[in-house]
Amino acid sequence: MPKRIAIALIVASFAASAQVSAASLTVGVTAIKEDTGAIMLALYDNAGAYNGSGPSTKAARIDVEGGKVSIEFDDLPPGRYAIKLYHDANSNGELDTNMMGLPIEAYGFSGKAESLGPPPFDAAAFEILAGENSVTVRLR
């Protein structure tokens, strides 16, 4: 077999296996009380970035319409991820807080952790497998 054909077959097999192992994620947001502004979402694949030591893996801004929001991410490698989001009801690009630094706009995290502040990455983390995945985050 000529060398070029062998290389082409190897490259094609890697491309096919990468497509098979790619994942997609649909994030639904519930308990939206105001039909204004946008949901600001950040998706993280490691604790360091989640805790502020690096950038998010993916981010999105989705306008709130009809009290529902659904956000889709494609071409994610399977693995553990965590989500932080907030409802920027007044569209100023910030999570507004009161004088004591407590949020006055709704916010949420993935996972089942219920805490006063942001849960640690391990409590917020969920597994994304190859193929289609979905998760729902409830605003607080």
Side-chain angles (χ1 to χ4, degrees), residues 52-70:
S53 297
S56 61
T57 303
K58 299 271 186 173
R61 178 193 183 282
I62 304 295
D63 291 334
V64 174
E65 294 179 15
K68 296 180 181 181
V69 168
S70 180

Side-chain angles (χ1 to χ4, degrees), residues 1-36:
M1 180 177 344
K3 199 175 201 179
R4 286 185 186 180
I5 294 174
I7 291 172
L9 289 173
I10 291 170
V11 169
S13 69
F14 280 124
S17 66
Q19 289 175 352
V20 170
S21 65
S24 65
L25 174 66
T26 301
V27 180
V29 182
T30 63
I32 299 172
K33 295 180 181 167
E34 298 177 66
D35 199 20
T36 62

Side-chain angles (χ1 to χ4, degrees), residues 101-126:
L102 300 174
I104 58 175
E105 291 181 306
Y107 60 92
F109 306 94
S110 56
K112 305 235 185 258
E114 292 293 328
S115 61
L116 295 177
F121 179 82
D122 286 338
F126 58 96

